[in-house]
């Protein structure tokens, strides 16, 4: 975070400098008697360019009009001070710096006279040269040195900021003071710089606060750990003074006062509860309830923020707070998928008799990862006591059907194989593949004809599952069947069919013959060779 | 309380380590702790404990390697109790093949652990 803010700051500074250096333009205020052609001569700029830059349709000008003149880089500037305005014009007659310095002293006097017209609070030290141009009857002026200006500090913060801004811009834009575009750029950059500084300051203080909070958490955690371990393995009589005092405070709720401290304490409870069983586990739970930490969990469960709710549900599951089961069940219909899944996992921990009841009304699809987590959660339960509802195999949610089929495979629920087979007509190929896997795990040889009848499928994954199932179930291997598949299928499917020969008596010899048979296509021989190599 | 023996606990979860330490100290054992395998090896040599209680998933040196070290490379082999959340059959068999005397999976009962510790120390004299 800090590095990103520093990078932004450097980019802004660089941009400010580059934009200032890139600016080479000025505004010419039209004087009495001036024409566009005269102005173009002054700046050595084409008339059509001036018209285009100012989006003008006509060459007619009015006194006081401000014309934007974009000059090429490293132009020689001239400044004049008239009527309190500093404007710039280029003197084409000046070729060398020496002549500029010479005429500077001559023009100085005329500028000092014009200074008197200036605002009495502002002084600008300039060295000017005034020279009358006979051809144009116009004063051409040389580059002055704008050294420094004293800014009037009027009362009020806004006036001070305004004065400071003028001071900054004069010093930066000593040549381009009249350029509005330059002003806008500088102003924008200053604002951005200000906000960047604010963000840096916020970042710094947030970092300091985080370090302080982490130290506090570590200190409190060590204290809570000592108290908890004392409580678990000691009676009050056995404790020394300090530990006994802590325990009494703990029971009277004098420690863990703030919400943050209580959340740290809950975290420790869960950590210990997950590691211990038996008497210690029960003690922990009683202490958890005695300290009324379940009220914190209940409050978080009602939170509108999904991550707070999910954390509370997780804590309910870990501490096995069965009294919250109904509220957790309600959250299985939450809009947030994370909350729904946390609720499902928690219900498995809370409702050990019917942990999969949520499948009856689950609407969201279960991902592969979620299914893995569900099976992991079920692993801690007595599998003989997990009830199964056959309606899950008819669910409209395909992921529920897949999960139910996998459940039957894992827990050897042969009695449902008939219902499972009906799902072969399911339009979802993933469901069909799971059915084939179930037939392979739970079925017998009588299913082989059924499996062979499905071999005309377009889906190669389904075909591969069928081949594996047939090769496993058949008592008398059908060598010709697999040879035809090798010859007619894509590479991966053919390879699986070739591997089926591993379990066929004399299957390896058949593969060897195919490998050496020159009448076989090159692809077939390659597949067979590959299968033989992988077996080795 | 009479010193019942010195036990080395190797566990990277500090809270479990603390709970074990407190439980065993309460039963009169001297407890030495390590949070990683390297430190555990050093303590096995320097402290010469009477029993080793170790997790399998520890930093730097695995628990299985530590069992082999405690059984084969010390001057006197010491009894080893494995306390681990890893409950795969292969890992349990590997532990016993390397010479572990007992295996407890997490979550564990501290009361049960102390009974097993007492039994092993009594058996080894």
């Amino acid at each position: 975070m800090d590095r990103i803010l520093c990078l932004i700051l450097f980019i802004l500074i660089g941009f400010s400098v580059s934009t200032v250096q890139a600016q080479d333009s000025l505004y010419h205020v039209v004087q009495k008697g001036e024409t566009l052609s005269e102005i173009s001569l002054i700046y050595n700029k084409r008339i059509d360019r001036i018209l285009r830059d100012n989006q003008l349709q006509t060459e007619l000008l009015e006194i006081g009009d401000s014309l934007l003149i974009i000059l090429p880089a490293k132009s020689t500037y001239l400044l004049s001070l008239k009527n309190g305005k500093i404007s710039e014009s280029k003197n084409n007659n000046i070729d060398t710096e020496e002549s500029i310095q010479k005429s500077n002293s001559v023009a100085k006097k005329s500028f000092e006279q014009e200074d008197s017209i200036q605002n009495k609070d502002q002084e600008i030290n300039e060295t000017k040269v005034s020279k009358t141009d006979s051809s144009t009857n116009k004063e051409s002026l040389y580059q002055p040195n704008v050294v420094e200006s004293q800014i009037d500090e009027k009362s009020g913060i806004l006036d001070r900021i305004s004065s400071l801004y003028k001071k900054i811009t004069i010093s930066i834009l000593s040549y381009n003071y009249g350029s509005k575009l330059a002003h806008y750029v500088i102003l924008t950059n200053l604002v951005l710089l200000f906000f960047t500084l604010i963000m840096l300051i916020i970042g710094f203080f947030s970092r300091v606060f985080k370090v302080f909070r982490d130290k506090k958490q570590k200190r409190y955690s060590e204290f809570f750990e000592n108290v908890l371990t004392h409580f678990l393995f000691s009676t009050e009589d056995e404790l020394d003074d300090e530990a006994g005092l802590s325990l009494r405070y703990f029971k009277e709720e004098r420690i863990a006062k703030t919400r943050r401290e209580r959340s740290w304490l809950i975290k420790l409870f869960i950590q210990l509860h997950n590691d211990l069983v038996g008497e210690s586990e029960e003690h922990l739970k009683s202490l958890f309830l005695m300290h009324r930490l379940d009220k914190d969990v209940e409050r978080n469960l009602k939170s509108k923020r999904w991550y707070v709710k999910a954390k509370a549900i997780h804590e309910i599951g870990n501490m096995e707070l069965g009294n919250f089961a109904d509220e957790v069940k309600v959250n299985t219909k939450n809009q947030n998928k994370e909350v729904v899944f946390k609720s499902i996992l928690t219900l498995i921990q809370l409702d050990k008799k019917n942990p999969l009841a949520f499948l009856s009304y689950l609407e969201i699809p279960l991902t592969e990862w979620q299914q893995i987590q569900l099976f992991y959660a079920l692993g801690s339960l007595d599998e003989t006591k997990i009830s199964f509802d056959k309606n899950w195999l008819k669910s409209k949610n395909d992921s529920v059907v897949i999960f139910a089929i996998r459940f039957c495979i894992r827990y050897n629920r042969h009695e449902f194989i008939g219902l499972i087979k009906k799902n072969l007509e399911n339009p979802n190929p993933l469901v069909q593949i799971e059915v084939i896997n179930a037939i392979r795990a739970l079925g017998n040889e009588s299913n082989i004809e059924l499996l062979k009848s499905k071999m005309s499928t377009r889906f190669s994954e389904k075909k591969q599952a069928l081949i594996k199932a047939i090769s496993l179930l058949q008592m008398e291997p059908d060598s010709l069947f697999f040879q035809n598949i090798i010859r007619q299928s894509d590479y991966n499917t053919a390879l699986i069919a070739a591997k089926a020969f591993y379990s066929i008596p004399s299957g390896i010899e058949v593969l060897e013959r195919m490998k050496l048979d020159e009448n076989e296509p090159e692809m077939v021989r390659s597949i067979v060779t590959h299968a033989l190599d992988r077996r080795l | 309380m009479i010193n019942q023996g010195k036990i080395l606990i190797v566990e990277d979860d500090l809270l479990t380590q603390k709970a074990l330490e407190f439980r065993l100290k309460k039963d009169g054992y001297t407890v030495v702790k390590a949070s990683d395998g390297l430190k555990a090896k050093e303590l096995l040599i320097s402290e010469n404990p009477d029993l080793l209680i170790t997790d399998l998933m520890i930093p730097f040196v695995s628990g299985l390697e530590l069992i082999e070290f405690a059984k084969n490379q010390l001057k006197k082999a010491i009894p080893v109790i494995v306390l681990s959340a890893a409950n795969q059959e292969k890992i349990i068999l590997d532990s016993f093949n390397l010479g572990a005397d007992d295996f407890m999976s997490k979550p564990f009962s501290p009361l049960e652990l102390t009974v097993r510790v007492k039994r092993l120390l009594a058996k080894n004299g």
Side-chain angles (χ1 to χ4, degrees):
Chain A
M1 178 70 177
D2 295 338
R3 287 180 192 173
I4 292 170
L5 287 173
C6 286
L7 187 60
I8 293 169
L9 183 61
F10 287 138
I11 290 170
L12 282 173
I13 290 171
F15 183 63
S16 304
V17 171
S18 64
T19 51
V20 168
Q21 289 175 346
Q23 288 299 316
D24 209 356
S25 62
L26 54 90
Y27 280 93
H28 177 88
V29 180
V30 177
Q31 305 296 320
K32 186 179 179 180
E34 278 185 341
T35 63
L36 191 58
S37 55
E38 286 169 354
I39 295 170
S40 73
L41 282 173
I42 291 168
Y43 297 106
N44 197 23
K45 190 99 174 146
R46 283 168 52 173
I47 293 174
D48 61 334
R49 288 282 171 86
I50 296 174
L51 289 173
R52 188 190 68 185
D53 292 341
N54 290 277
Q55 295 175 345
L56 294 172
Q57 308 293 330
T58 173
E59 293 181 18
L60 292 175
L61 303 173
E62 290 182 7
I63 298 170
D65 278 350
S66 185
L67 294 178
L68 171 66
I69 309 293
I70 299 174
L71 299 170
K74 297 182 184 176
S75 299
T76 306
Y77 291 84
L78 301 172
L79 287 178
S80 65
L81 178 61
K82 279 193 177 178
N83 299 326
K85 289 181 188 178
I86 297 176
S87 62
E88 300 173 17
S89 57
K90 185 178 178 183
N91 188 345
N92 291 323
N93 297 327
I94 306 297
D95 293 325
T96 63
E97 283 188 14
E98 290 171 359
S99 50
I100 290 171
Q101 286 169 3
K102 201 176 176 182
S103 45
N104 268 350
S105 57
V106 173
K108 190 178 177 181
K109 270 192 186 173
S110 65
F111 264 89
E112 282 171 354
Q113 289 171 1
E114 292 197 21
D115 278 346
S116 62
I117 304 172
Q118 286 292 319
N119 188 314
K120 62 177 178 180
D121 295 323
Q122 183 173 348
E123 292 179 12
I124 298 176
N125 296 322
E126 294 176 339
T127 307
K128 298 183 187 175
V129 168
S130 172
K131 176 181 169 187
T132 306
D133 185 350
S134 57
S135 60
T136 60
N137 197 26
K138 179 187 176 297
E139 285 190 350
S140 302
L141 301 166
Y142 292 82
Q143 178 179 354
N145 295 321
V146 178
V147 179
E148 194 175 357
S149 60
Q150 291 178 348
I151 306 295
D152 176 39
E153 291 186 355
K154 296 179 182 175
S155 58
I157 297 172
L158 287 176
D159 289 329
R160 283 182 193 167
I161 292 173
S162 171
S163 303
L164 184 62
Y165 173 72
K166 280 183 192 171
K167 197 174 181 180
I168 292 170
T169 50
I170 286 170
S171 62
I172 294 175
L173 299 177
S174 53
Y175 300 119
N176 276 330
Y177 188 70
S179 168
K180 279 186 188 175
L181 183 62
H183 277 282
Y184 292 143
V185 168
I186 285 291
L187 191 60
T188 308
N189 282 332
L190 283 174
V191 168
L192 287 171
L193 189 63
F194 172 74
F195 280 112
T196 305
L197 281 171
I198 296 290
M199 280 166 64
L200 273 172
I201 291 168
I202 291 171
F204 172 76
F205 280 109
S206 68
R207 179 84 181 173
V208 167
F209 174 73
K210 188 177 180 298
V211 166
F212 171 73
R213 194 185 62 190
D214 288 345
K215 278 186 182 170
K216 190 181 176 188
Q217 183 180 359
K218 192 179 174 187
R219 206 170 56 243
Y220 269 81
S221 294
E222 280 174 12
F223 177 61
F224 292 152
E225 283 167 15
N226 289 333
V227 174
L228 276 179
T229 48
H230 274 91
F231 178 80
L232 280 177
F233 305 119
S234 306
T235 61
E236 281 194 43
D237 298 333
E238 291 173 318
L239 294 169
D240 57 34
D241 288 337
E242 189 184 333
L245 202 62
S246 302
L247 186 58
R248 279 191 286 278
Y249 278 156
F250 189 55
K251 286 184 177 178
E252 295 167 14
E253 295 182 39
R254 285 196 191 178
I255 61 172
K257 298 169 209 169
T258 66
R259 208 178 270 195
R260 190 177 294 281
E261 289 167 18
R262 289 170 80 80
S263 74
W264 296 337
L265 188 54
I266 291 173
K267 192 177 162 188
L268 277 176
F269 264 101
I270 289 171
Q271 207 176 331
L272 263 181
H273 192 263
N274 286 342
D275 279 343
L276 303 176
V277 292
E279 205 176 83
S280 304
E281 187 191 8
E282 287 163 16
H283 281 160
L284 261 178
K285 194 170 172 182
S286 67
L287 183 63
F288 186 90
L289 295 171
M290 188 174 67
H291 207 66
R292 295 210 287 270
L293 293 172
D294 56 328
K295 298 296 177 192
D296 292 71
V297 173
E298 190 180 1
R299 188 186 59 240
N300 289 337
L301 190 60
K302 292 174 184 168
S303 170
K304 288 182 183 174
R305 289 173 287 180
W306 70 266
Y307 47 91
V308 175
K309 200 188 281 275
K311 186 165 172 269
I313 294 170
H314 174 77
E315 287 164 359
I316 289 168
N318 274 283
M319 292 304 296
E320 295 181 6
L321 304 172
N323 50 320
F324 292 109
D326 291 334
E327 281 148 27
V328 172
K329 214 176 267 185
V330 167
N331 279 295
T332 55
K333 294 180 183 169
N334 194 287
Q335 287 177 355
N336 185 287
K337 288 181 186 175
E338 283 297 323
V339 171
V340 170
F341 191 64
K342 268 283 182 252
S343 307
I344 290 170
L345 286 177
T346 299
L347 282 174
I348 288 176
Q349 289 171 289
L350 295 180
D351 187 0
K352 290 187 168 45
K353 286 182 185 173
N354 197 9
L356 297 175
F358 65 90
L359 288 176
S360 303
Y361 51 82
L362 187 69
E363 289 170 10
I364 60 162
L366 286 171
T367 64
E368 285 294 324
W369 172 237
Q370 286 171 340
Q371 291 193 32
I372 290 170
Q373 286 184 283
L374 283 175
F375 278 120
Y376 184 78
L378 287 173
S380 61
L381 305 177
D382 183 355
E383 63 181 67
T384 58
K385 293 181 180 172
I386 302 174
S387 57
F388 182 84
D389 185 351
K390 62 184 179 184
N391 291 319
W392 297 338
L393 292 167
K394 300 177 201 169
S395 172
K396 288 180 185 173
N397 187 337
D398 283 344
S399 65
V400 171
V401 175
I402 289 172
F403 180 79
I405 294 172
R406 287 175 178 171
F407 180 92
C408 292
I409 295 171
R410 184 180 281 246
Y411 294 108
N412 294 315
R413 301 293 178 98
H414 291 84
E415 63 270 32
F416 296 109
I417 188 64
L419 258 175
I420 292 172
K421 275 198 279 188
K422 285 182 182 173
N423 280 292
L424 267 175
E425 307 308 322
N426 190 305
N428 188 337
L430 293 175
V431 175
Q432 295 170 16
I433 290 170
E434 282 310 314
V435 172
I436 295 165
N437 289 338
I439 293 172
R440 188 177 91 197
L442 306 172
N444 52 40
E445 201 180 7
S446 62
N447 300 123
I448 289 180
E449 290 309 317
L450 173 65
L451 293 172
K452 281 185 178 179
S453 67
K454 302 292 178 186
M455 281 297 296
S456 56
T457 178
R458 290 179 293 122
F459 296 105
S460 53
E461 286 87 5
K462 183 180 171 184
K463 207 180 260 190
Q464 288 162 25
L466 284 165
I467 294 166
K468 285 179 187 172
I470 292 167
S471 69
L472 194 68
L473 290 175
Q474 63 183 6
M475 297 299 282
E476 292 178 10
D478 188 349
S479 172
L480 195 59
F481 170 76
F482 290 114
Q483 285 183 59
N484 287 337
I485 293 175
I486 293 172
R487 291 181 184 116
Q488 292 164 10
S489 304
D490 61 277
Y491 188 91
N492 288 328
T493 308
L495 189 60
I496 289 176
K499 287 182 185 176
F501 280 91
Y502 296 166
S503 56
I504 296 175
S506 311
I508 302 301
E509 288 163 13
V510 172
L511 286 176
E512 293 282 358
R513 274 203 299 275
M514 287 178 76
K515 178 183 166 185
L516 298 171
D517 186 355
E518 289 179 359
N519 293 327
E520 296 281 3
E522 189 60 39
M523 175 64 102
V524 170
R525 290 168 70 185
S526 164
I527 290 166
V528 168
T529 307
H530 191 177
L532 285 167
D533 290 343
R534 286 183 81 164
R535 180 172 178 273
L536 290 170
Chain B
M1 190 179 281
I2 301 170
N3 187 3
Q4 306 273 10
K6 191 185 283 187
I7 300 177
L8 170 61
I9 302 172
V10 185
E11 171 63 63
D12 57 341
D13 178 358
L14 294 176
L15 187 55
T16 309
Q17 194 188 83
K18 199 169 273 193
L20 279 170
E21 180 193 12
F22 194 87
R23 177 74 238 186
L24 293 169
K25 271 185 178 174
K26 193 171 172 296
D27 290 336
Y29 299 103
T30 304
V31 175
V32 184
K33 300 175 293 187
S35 300
D36 62 78
L38 274 175
K39 178 82 177 167
K41 272 189 173 178
E42 285 171 22
L43 290 173
L44 275 170
I45 296 168
S46 62
E47 294 288 333
N48 204 18
D50 299 307
L51 183 130
L52 169 66
I53 300 175
T54 179
D55 191 358
L56 290 178
M57 306 291 182
I58 47 176
F60 303 126
V61 175
S62 76
L64 290 175
E65 196 177 329
L66 204 59
I67 296 169
E68 194 273 336
F69 183 82
K71 284 293 180 184
N72 299 323
Q73 298 189 36
L74 291 177
K75 285 178 190 171
K76 181 187 166 196
I78 59 172
V80 177
I81 297 178
V82 176
L83 182 66
S84 179
N87 58 1
Q88 292 92 346
E89 188 181 352
K90 185 179 181 310
I91 289 179
I92 298 172
L93 285 174
D94 285 343
S95 305
F96 282 116
N97 287 338
L98 285 168
D101 297 273
D102 207 346
F103 188 102
M104 285 184 72
S105 59
K106 286 181 186 172
F108 67 98
S109 164
L111 198 58
E112 187 183 337
L113 178 69
T114 53
V115 167
R116 291 178 186 232
V117 163
K118 205 177 271 186
R119 183 182 67 83
L120 263 180
L121 283 173
K123 186 179 165 187
N124 280 30

